[in-house]
Amino acid sequence: MGKVIAVCTSPARGTQKENVHRATFRVGHGIEGDAHAGDWHRQVSLLSYDKVEAFNARGAAVTDGAFGENLLVEGFDFARLPVGTWLQCGDVRLEITQIGKQCHHGCEIFQRMGDCIMPREGVFARVLHGGEIAEGDEMTIVYRVGIVTASDKGATGVRTDLSGPKIRECLPQEYEVVSYTVVADERQALADELRRLCDEVGCNLILTTGGTGFSPRDVTPEATRDVIERDAPGIAEAIRAYSLQKTKRAMLSRAVSGIRGHSLIVNLPGSPKAVEESMEVFVDTVEHGLRLLLNTDGECART
């Protein structure tokens, strides 16, 4: 979680931004009254307050907005977040579109200090949802979730899917479902959908339900293995261990879990009750893993 330290704008390009303390953000435009707003991918600029403080400790003595940043935020190392990350601040939602940019030749700060942090530490975003941001507001990351139900009958409309909606119901508030699909129990079709959610939609977490048993048509684990680049077996193992306390049939689950890029994929059982029980096991812990995938957490070692 981050905290907004300053909200800065400038009436004309090429002039230093000044802290206006609060501002209105418009969808697809940026900040009202700011010279850099417009229909492009760099509508809003953000900079980590911690990086500015470290720079000032070297004698820079820069003021809010000196680097051309619209939002100065404490608690986030923005440059470590991948492009596509969603940030929420009140009603305003931003999507990071670019990390850093080339510094203007002859930049005053660079001339004075021999360095400028904006090219490597600043990020740019577009406005997905508008509203107002003011000093002191909290900023959080929104985790994008994809849900995939593997079901022949569900895909043809013969059976109403209850497990996919149950997943949505069990998710914490900071998780937003951006894709929900019902796919037939076909290995290639399932793998294609998982790749789409990882590579095109940019989901941070993908939860599948169904297709993890012994039936010849149960191929969700195989489709998942076709897609993941790194195993993350602990989640699937924890779900099985917990489920075994309720039924010995849990040992028949072949569910897997793993990572592709910045996305975590977890196979869940097919019944709504089993989905709810499974999510009780990992949903409170998995956020730490997602933060690691997004480079917002450090080492896991405990003191």
Side-chain angles (χ1 to χ4, degrees):
M1 183 175 294
K3 178 182 177 182
V4 176
I5 302 300
V7 183
C8 307
T9 64
S10 58
R13 296 196 178 198
T15 62
Q16 182 172 311
K17 296 188 187 299
E18 295 184 358
N19 189 1
V20 295
H21 309 295
R22 67 174 59 239
T24 300
F25 291 67
R26 285 170 43 198
V27 175
H29 177 75
I31 301 178
E32 290 185 356
D34 184 58
H36 291 87
D39 184 17
W40 67 325
H41 70 291
R42 296 202 324 235
Q43 296 167 359
V44 179
S45 55
L46 302 94
L47 191 60
S48 302
Y49 175 72
D50 314 73
K51 302 297 184 181
V52 176
E53 285 290 276
F55 194 68
N56 276 335
R58 295 160 51 187
V62 296
T63 57
D64 299 340
F67 292 100
E69 76 276 10
N70 292 124
L71 292 176
L72 191 61
V73 182
E74 182 181 35
F76 277 123
D77 189 351
F78 287 119
R80 299 181 65 185
L81 296 175
V83 168
T85 300
W86 283 4
L87 301 168
Q88 191 77 28
C89 190
D91 292 331
V92 178
R93 177 165 297 175
L94 306 173
E95 180 182 30
I96 294 179
T97 55
Q98 181 174 319
I99 309 295
K101 74 177 185 69
Q102 186 175 357
C103 191
H104 294 297
H105 295 295
C107 160
E108 179 183 340
I109 296 174
F110 187 87
Q111 286 186 3
R112 178 159 50 88
M113 297 295 297
D115 188 20
C116 180
I117 62 174
M118 193 64 181
R120 61 179 181 273
E121 303 292 351
V123 303
F124 298 87
R126 62 189 181 103
V127 182
L128 301 181
H129 193 281
E132 189 174 88
I133 293 179
E135 289 177 345
D137 286 350
E138 292 182 346
M139 180 177 287
T140 59
I141 290 176
V142 178
Y143 299 109
R144 284 179 281 185
V145 180
I147 298 174
V148 181
T149 296
S151 170
D152 286 331
K153 292 182 178 179
T156 57
V158 176
R159 175 186 296 165
T160 300
D161 176 38
L162 300 177
S163 297
K166 176 58 69 173
I167 292 175
R168 186 194 298 264
E169 181 184 315
C170 295
L171 287 167
Q173 185 177 359
E174 61 269 24
Y175 292 73
E176 181 166 325
V177 176
V178 296
S179 179
Y180 162 57
T181 53
V182 181
V183 181
D185 290 298
E186 299 286 350
R187 180 169 176 172
Q188 187 60 55
L190 286 166
D192 288 344
E193 177 62 7
L194 294 176
R195 288 191 187 93
R196 183 186 75 85
L197 293 174
C198 293
D199 303 344
E200 298 177 26
V201 181
C203 290
N204 307 114
L205 177 64
I206 301 165
L207 301 172
T208 73
T209 173
T212 61
F214 279 21
S215 167
R217 296 286 292 171
D218 290 338
V219 293
T220 303
E222 285 71 30
T224 303
R225 289 194 182 95
D226 289 342
V227 170
I228 61 174
E229 299 163 339
R230 294 187 289 161
D231 289 328
I235 299 172
E237 291 167 359
I239 292 172
R240 271 189 288 272
Y242 181 78
S243 299
L244 275 169
Q245 300 175 35
K246 301 179 179 297
T247 172
K248 290 185 176 180
R249 290 187 178 182
M251 69 178 69
L252 303 180
S253 169
R254 300 188 306 108
V256 299
S257 45
I259 296 165
R260 178 182 177 89
H262 295 291
S263 305
L264 172 64
I265 304 173
V266 179
N267 296 161
L268 299 176
S271 76
K273 184 175 184 295
V275 162
E276 185 172 9
E277 292 173 352
S278 297
M279 291 192 67
E280 289 175 0
V281 178
F282 72 90
V283 76
D284 291 336
T285 305
V286 75
E287 184 178 357
H288 177 60
L290 297 180
R291 290 199 301 263
L292 289 170
L293 284 176
L294 290 172
N295 283 323
T296 60
D297 252 2
E299 299 297 328
C300 297
R302 301 176 62 184
T303 56

